[in-house]
Amino acid sequence: MAVDFIWLWSLLVLLLPIAYWYLSRPKNLPPGTAGLPIVGYMPFISEYQHETFKKLGQKYGNLFHLYLGSLLVIVLNDYSSIYDALVKNGDIFSGRPQQMILKETSERNLGLASNDGEYWKQHRRFIRSNLTNFGFGKGAFEPLILEEIHQFLKELRQNVGKSFNIRQLLMNTVSNNVNIMITGKRLDYDDPVLIRFNQIVKQSEGRVPSFSLASFFPWISKFPGANKIFKSENVRKHWGATIDVATSLVNPAINEYEDGLNDNYIHAYLSERNARVKANGDDDVFTESAVVHITRDLFLAGTSTTAFTVLFSLLYMTRYPEIQKTVQNEIDSVVGRERQPSYNDRSNMPYTEATILEIHRKISHVPLSLPHRNIKDVQIQGYVIPKDTMIIPNLWAVHNDPNIWGDPETFRPERFIGSDGKLVKTEYVIPFSLGKRACVGEPLARMEIFLYFVSLLQQFTFIPPEGEKLTLETFPGFSLRPKFQNVHAILRQ
């Protein structure tokens, strides 16, 4: 009898949390799945999360919910749901979830990517205004990028005629563009700070997860050894190292500052801070600590994405030599072989622009963007999204939607060329995301990608490396990186 009682009590203890798990879910959610008790859908998500979400969208619809651990997540799996949330309701969906791995740090979060609210708004507004002041859209920054490209091409020529890994060279040159904007200085490719920054970025790839598992299973974080399970200490060390490098970049510019200077981002930032302090006595938004964190975020966001997009473009040109030749013919016709390209040339180069669009679509370098959070209850497409839900926009699903592209698996720049030979503009290629949290550095990235792509194909032809099998496969992660990183460039005759 006592044994029966213990068995029944044990069963009740087991069933109660399971019943609570299923009965406590919010009402009128989009269709979806709670997964398993405790762990939710976590065990069924593959390394390529965007692909899992796309398959779930085929079952539940393009706006659906699931649970990761005990955390409710809403996935936006097509252009319509992403637009409705991030554009039509941009203010509501401009928050960042506490579960972002960027917030797993022992310091107060002072960066741009992980923050929201007034702190984020004021810093983002300031960055956008300074991008304009530094000449984006007016051509003033373009000569600096072209000079950096000139130095980059000189280095590249040393490797002509052989297979080599171009990743480091691309990271160096793109980092320099960000550094010129932030500090006003160009660094040599063998500068210890530049080398250290790129080492940290490389070390983090595949080791820093997209989300903090400790946030999905907060009750485990109290157990001994939880830091090892969640690799929390590794993450903290990584973010600490990025701050150290950012500090070494920021400090010289701070030491050179004189009141009123606005010749680079850091000097403009300090001028803004001084003006606020003079007006209000102090300012807890524009602080000397914050400028280091913002600088760190600008470097991380502005380097890898552009460098890997350029690398992918060279791999695609190697894989599709007939497309490479068509691009080169257009470059020869519009730019020629003697002068450097200009960003203004793009209006006369529809096939080159179409090829860049197709590269963005195919690679979907950051397939899930960064997660959002709705700051209050909201209704989307007839469903209720409770306040503080994690929102994941699946940009990769949009770029691979057969209802939009017909043959999304095919690399075909011609899909963006109209019958009149002109570029067909599209709203469905969204590599920088949409809405108020779209990439703040998009103007710089678009200019860089065009100028590097055209400059490279103007001077070189890229062929398959001898004895190596070129693949377009990627490593999984927050950003998709090509497994194959070797190129073989030959000078054009």
Side-chain angles (χ1 to χ4, degrees):
M1 191 72 167
V3 173
D4 290 341
F5 178 78
I6 293 172
W7 185 86
L8 288 171
W9 178 251
S10 300
L11 182 63
L12 182 63
V13 169
L14 178 65
L15 290 177
L16 279 177
I18 294 176
Y20 176 80
W21 168 259
Y22 285 106
L23 296 175
S24 63
R25 284 178 288 166
K27 305 301 181 184
N28 200 27
L29 285 175
T33 175
L36 301 175
I38 311 300
V39 296
Y41 203 78
M42 193 79 76
F44 310 112
I45 295 182
S46 72
E47 288 184 300
Y48 296 90
Q49 299 164 355
H50 51 281
E51 295 182 0
T52 301
F53 293 155
K54 189 172 189 294
K55 290 177 182 177
L56 285 173
Q58 293 168 351
K59 181 177 182 180
Y60 295 111
N62 287 318
L63 175 66
F64 67 88
H65 85 269
L66 74 161
Y67 279 82
L68 300 179
S70 59
L71 183 76
L72 173 64
V73 174
I74 300 293
V75 177
L76 312 174
N77 224 36
D78 69 345
Y79 183 83
S80 175
S81 60
I82 292 174
Y83 186 87
D84 283 354
L86 306 190
V87 178
K88 287 186 177 180
N89 294 277
D91 286 327
I92 295 174
F93 284 91
S94 65
R96 286 288 192 227
Q98 294 298 318
Q99 293 78 13
M100 280 186 66
I101 197 68
L102 293 181
K103 292 194 173 184
E104 196 167 303
T105 169
S106 58
E107 299 180 63
R108 179 185 171 205
N109 292 289
L110 298 173
L112 186 70
S114 59
N115 264 297
D116 50 34
E118 197 60 30
Y119 180 95
W120 160 74
K121 288 180 182 178
Q122 291 190 36
H123 279 287
R124 181 180 174 88
R125 189 182 305 122
F126 182 77
I127 291 170
R128 288 178 65 89
S129 69
N130 274 273
L131 286 176
T132 301
N133 292 341
F134 294 150
F136 293 99
K138 302 176 184 177
F141 199 74
E142 183 177 312
L144 301 177
I145 296 178
L146 289 172
E147 175 56 30
E148 175 56 38
I149 290 176
H150 175 70
Q151 299 299 325
F152 163 71
L153 294 178
K154 283 173 59 178
E155 293 287 327
L156 180 57
R157 286 189 183 94
Q158 297 180 20
N159 294 282
V160 163
K162 61 183 180 182
S163 173
F164 77 104
N165 190 314
I166 198 175
R167 175 224 163 91
Q168 188 64 50
L169 186 54
L170 283 171
M171 292 289 287
N172 287 342
T173 185
V174 175
S175 296
N176 253 336
N177 291 327
V178 180
N179 194 52
I180 290 167
M181 180 187 74
I182 292 175
T183 72
K185 301 286 179 65
R186 181 186 183 275
L187 299 175
D188 292 334
Y189 293 159
D190 60 357
D191 187 284
V193 176
L194 194 61
I195 292 172
R196 178 62 180 144
F197 169 73
N198 289 326
Q199 285 175 339
I200 292 170
V201 172
K202 189 171 185 178
Q203 289 167 359
S204 71
E205 292 169 355
R207 295 167 63 182
V208 177
S210 302
F211 309 116
S212 168
L213 290 177
S215 298
F216 300 141
F217 305 103
W219 49 277
I220 298 181
S221 64
K222 308 299 182 183
F223 290 1
N227 282 342
K228 290 185 177 180
I229 295 173
F230 297 129
K231 300 180 181 179
S232 304
E233 191 60 32
N234 290 343
V235 173
R236 279 193 286 269
K237 286 180 179 179
H238 167 71
W239 293 126
T242 63
I243 289 299
D244 289 343
V245 173
T247 300
S248 64
L249 290 166
V250 168
N251 282 346
I254 291 177
N255 293 335
E256 295 168 358
Y257 173 71
E258 295 177 3
D259 194 27
L261 276 180
N262 292 284
D263 56 332
N264 58 58
Y265 174 78
I266 291 175
H267 288 169
Y269 187 101
L270 295 175
S271 292
E272 175 70 13
R273 169 166 169 74
N274 288 348
R276 289 174 173 234
V277 169
K278 288 177 183 178
N280 305 313
D282 196 11
D283 189 83
D284 60 358
V285 174
F286 279 69
T287 66
E288 290 192 9
S289 295
V291 72
V292 176
H293 287 251
I294 298 292
T295 295
R296 185 272 308 274
D297 283 6
L298 291 174
F299 262 95
L300 291 176
T303 299
S304 294
T305 51
T306 299
F308 278 119
T309 299
V310 175
L311 173 53
F312 269 117
S313 75
L314 302 181
L315 298 180
Y316 271 92
M317 293 303 94
T318 302
R319 172 63 67 85
Y320 298 97
E322 70 286 356
I323 293 175
Q324 179 174 202
K325 184 60 179 174
T326 304
V327 171
Q328 288 175 323
N329 289 341
E330 187 173 69
I331 292 171
D332 290 348
S333 174
V334 176
V335 182
R337 301 282 188 93
E338 301 302 321
R339 74 170 175 89
Q340 285 187 293
S342 166
Y343 195 43
N344 291 330
D345 289 327
R346 68 193 190 281
S347 60
N348 297 315
M349 302 175 70
Y351 193 83
T352 301
E353 281 282 87
T355 302
I356 292 172
L357 279 174
E358 184 71 339
I359 289 165
H360 278 308
R361 185 189 73 81
K362 280 296 290 181
I363 69 174
S364 296
H365 178 58
V366 184
L368 298 178
S369 185
L370 285 173
H372 292 239
R373 172 179 63 88
N374 53 311
I375 61 176
K376 65 179 183 180
D377 291 352
V378 63
Q379 190 173 89
I380 295 289
Q381 297 184 357
Y383 300 107
V384 173
I385 313 298
K387 177 184 176 182
D388 294 331
T389 298
M390 178 183 281
I391 311 296
I392 298 180
N394 192 349
L395 309 184
W396 181 87
V398 177
H399 293 160
N400 288 273
D401 187 343
N403 295 319
I404 297 174
W405 309 110
D407 57 344
E409 69 286 347
T410 303
F411 185 76
R412 187 166 59 85
E414 290 79 9
R415 71 176 79 248
F416 299 109
I417 302 293
S419 58
D420 57 359
K422 295 182 179 179
L423 184 72
V424 176
K425 294 184 178 180
T426 177
E427 59 187 339
Y428 300 118
V429 179
I430 49 175
F432 303 98
S433 194
L434 291 175
K436 295 182 180 296
R437 298 231 55 149
C439 176
V440 71
E442 181 177 344
L444 172 60
R446 287 193 180 277
M447 181 183 288
E448 286 180 294
I449 290 165
F450 178 84
L451 292 176
Y452 275 86
F453 184 64
V454 173
S455 297
L456 283 161
L457 294 192
Q458 180 191 43
Q459 302 296 325
F460 306 99
T461 294
F462 292 87
I463 63 174
E466 189 174 347
E468 299 178 70
K469 185 177 180 181
L470 186 151
T471 174
L472 299 174
E473 293 178 357
T474 62
F475 292 109
F478 165 72
S479 60
L480 300 179
R481 296 160 289 114
K483 292 182 177 180
F484 195 87
Q485 299 182 2
N486 287 359
V487 299
H488 188 162
I490 57 174
L491 283 169
R492 294 185 65 197
Q493 301 301 319

